[in-house]
Amino acid sequence: NLMPFPMFEPLSFHNMFQPFFDMIHRAQQAMDVHLHSMPYHFPTAEFPGENANRTVCKEIRHNSTGCLRMKDQCDKCREILSVDCSTNNPAQMQLRQELNTSLQLAEKFSKLYDQLLQSYQQKMLNTSSLLAQLNEQFSWVSRLANLTQGEGQQYFQVTTVSSHNSDPSVPSGLTKVVVNLFDSQPITVTVPEEVSNPKFMETVVEKALQKYRQKHRE
Amino acid sequence: DKAISDKELQEMSTEGNKYINKEIKNALKEVKQIKTLIEETNEERKTLLGTLEEAKKKKEDALSETRDSEAKLKASEGLCNETMTALWEECKPCLKQTCMKFYARVCRSGSGLVGQQLEEFLNQSSPFYFWINGDRIDSLLENDRQQSHVMDVMQDSFARASSIMDELFQDRFFSRGPQDTFFYSPFGPSQRRSLFFNPKSRFAR
């Protein structure tokens, strides 16, 4: 018995499952809303060139700074970079050296951070897809919550069983069964087993549940 | 092929109900397994978050040093101004042409406005900015801003999802072993709300 104290009534299906369903749905929504709408493009290992080009195009369109990345292709621009002002101020050269070193380091760490951020995003997406799976796994059960509140309901009722002998429209060797399952319209399943087969009802239920789940997924 | 009697149909229905109960119990077991997977992924996420924080610290230290050096260098701006300006005037047309060619070939969108904007940008830029790799510094700072934004968005989404998941997984349904689900008869007769599982009490907390 789930309940630790006899003074409490056993749980109803509704009490137990409906909140779970709502919560899983909310959790998944909270994860998905932003994860799929992030404007930031992580640099990808597969197409580094393409990604870099996309960034440069974006920078050119935005404020033209992307063009400065092409300075190596012009002699005079390269010359600017190698201008030596140390005769005027030796400290300036030292400072420039320090700047270049820290800039390279910062670029390296920025790239590393990008990679880690991408892995982190992947972990978040994995969690989100597990929540989606949880939702998928759970929703058909939790859907039953609303259906199990009345007294004395029949959740699974076999209404008709026919074979080729009683109904010529049923192919030979098969058995057609019509069942009512939960709140659905009558579900018709055709199984290869005969009524006398010990597996008969298991096969019927499996097929009926499959149809029920499929219908609710749709 | 004798007709199936009402009694037999009823027996079949009872038998079918047993299988349905079994299926529901299996679904519940699987739900618990997914919950375990979610927890494992979350542990991996936490470890990764630690690594991210370390990397962030290193990145920020390097950025801060870059900005310091940049500020100090700016204080000495003007020392080689003449040389730089002369070279800059010759560098600009080549840079513009190279950039426009690249844009037309790679970016594949209207280049008219971009050309005008680039002209203005080059005329306003100083060779000193160029000399100290100002574009790389700006690009780095912009990246830093975007990375912080992405991280904030992810953390915010996760915090919201996580508080719901914590609430959900604290429930005694999840804290029991999978075998414990077998006690449960999904079609129990009671309709009364339990105090333990009353969703209102959870939301209030």
Side-chain angles (χ1 to χ4, degrees), chain B residues 82-117:
Chain B
E82 273 179 37
T83 324
M84 280 191 209
T85 309
L87 286 168
W88 180 237
E89 288 309 317
E90 291 181 83
C91 153
K92 278 195 282 187
C94 170
L95 197 56
K96 186 183 172 188
Q97 197 187 18
T98 312
C99 190
M100 293 306 291
K101 267 189 198 165
F102 171 87
Y103 193 82
R105 184 170 50 85
V106 177
C107 306
R108 295 192 196 102
S109 60
S111 51
L113 278 175
V114 170
Q116 199 182 334
Q117 181 187 287

Side-chain angles (χ1 to χ4, degrees), chain A residues 99-129:
Chain A
L99 173 72
N100 281 341
T101 310
S102 58
L103 185 58
Q104 273 174 7
L105 206 60
E107 282 173 341
K108 190 182 112 183
F109 286 130
S110 180
K111 212 174 276 178
L112 174 72
Y113 193 77
D114 255 341
Q115 286 163 2
L116 289 169
L117 212 51
Q118 208 170 359
S119 311
Y120 191 76
Q121 189 192 33
Q122 194 50 54
K123 283 275 172 281
M124 299 268 292
L125 289 172
N126 288 351
T127 308
S128 176
S129 84

